[in-house]
Amino acid sequence: YTIFMKNVHLAIPKEKVDPILEESFTRINEKFFNNSLEIPNLVWGNDTTRKLGCYEYGSDKITISSIFKDEDPRLMDYVMYHEMLHKKLKFNSKNGRSHYHTSDFRQMEAAFPNSKSIEKELQYLATRKARFKTNNNKNNFLKLGKKFIFRNL
């Protein structure tokens, strides 16, 4: 199963590619991956501040939160980079458990220029967007942790 999931992206048709996300993918692919990554499906997600991005192995799809549509492209590029690392490095399986954010992953993630300051900007953006959303919709409360956790489910 693990080998299948690591290679299924090869057979997935690439039918959903948003032009703005494609520009981000291309910038990051050229700068950090020497154009070695094949373009996946690239789609906008909901305007959530809980899950800023996601790479889905089974559908070879990167989803980016739509909160980035009108924000500094550097922030979206950082999230895109994170998700592209998932595409490149896949995951490790040990004792029946999958590990996504390995030490190699974290080391490569930290190689992104100004990664620490960008993470702080992302926290500020998410807090600002969540407050705006909460103030505009009293029934919609979002929990924000002290640190962002990018998850692949």
Side-chain angles (χ1 to χ4, degrees), residues 16-85:
K16 300 174 184 173
V17 179
D18 179 86
I20 295 170
L21 296 175
E22 183 177 17
E23 287 176 17
S24 175
F25 180 90
T26 301
R27 274 192 305 271
I28 300 303
N29 200 19
E30 287 173 359
K31 187 171 183 176
F32 297 101
F33 298 100
N34 200 25
N35 285 322
S36 64
L37 294 181
E38 179 186 358
I39 193 162
N41 290 301
L42 297 167
V43 298
W44 290 107
N46 296 328
D47 65 340
T48 180
T49 56
R50 290 180 144 200
K51 192 173 187 179
L52 302 180
C54 178
Y55 175 66
E56 296 174 20
Y57 298 93
S59 59
D60 194 26
K61 177 173 67 175
I62 292 177
T63 305
I64 301 292
S65 172
S66 61
I67 66 168
F68 294 106
K69 283 186 176 181
D70 298 319
E71 296 297 330
D72 184 342
R74 291 177 317 108
L75 300 177
M76 178 176 56
D77 283 357
Y78 180 76
V79 176
M80 180 68 74
Y81 176 72
H82 177 98
E83 301 311 328
M84 290 170 71
L85 284 175

Side-chain angles (χ1 to χ4, degrees), residues 4 12 16 33 40-41 43 53 55 58-59 73 75 83 95 99 101 114 127 150 152:
F4 172 78
I12 301 296
K16 300 174 184 173
F33 298 100
N41 290 301
V43 298
Y55 175 66
S59 59
L75 300 177
E83 301 311 328
N95 298 327
H99 302 275
H101 297 121
N114 304 312
T127 302
F150 295 90
N152 287 32

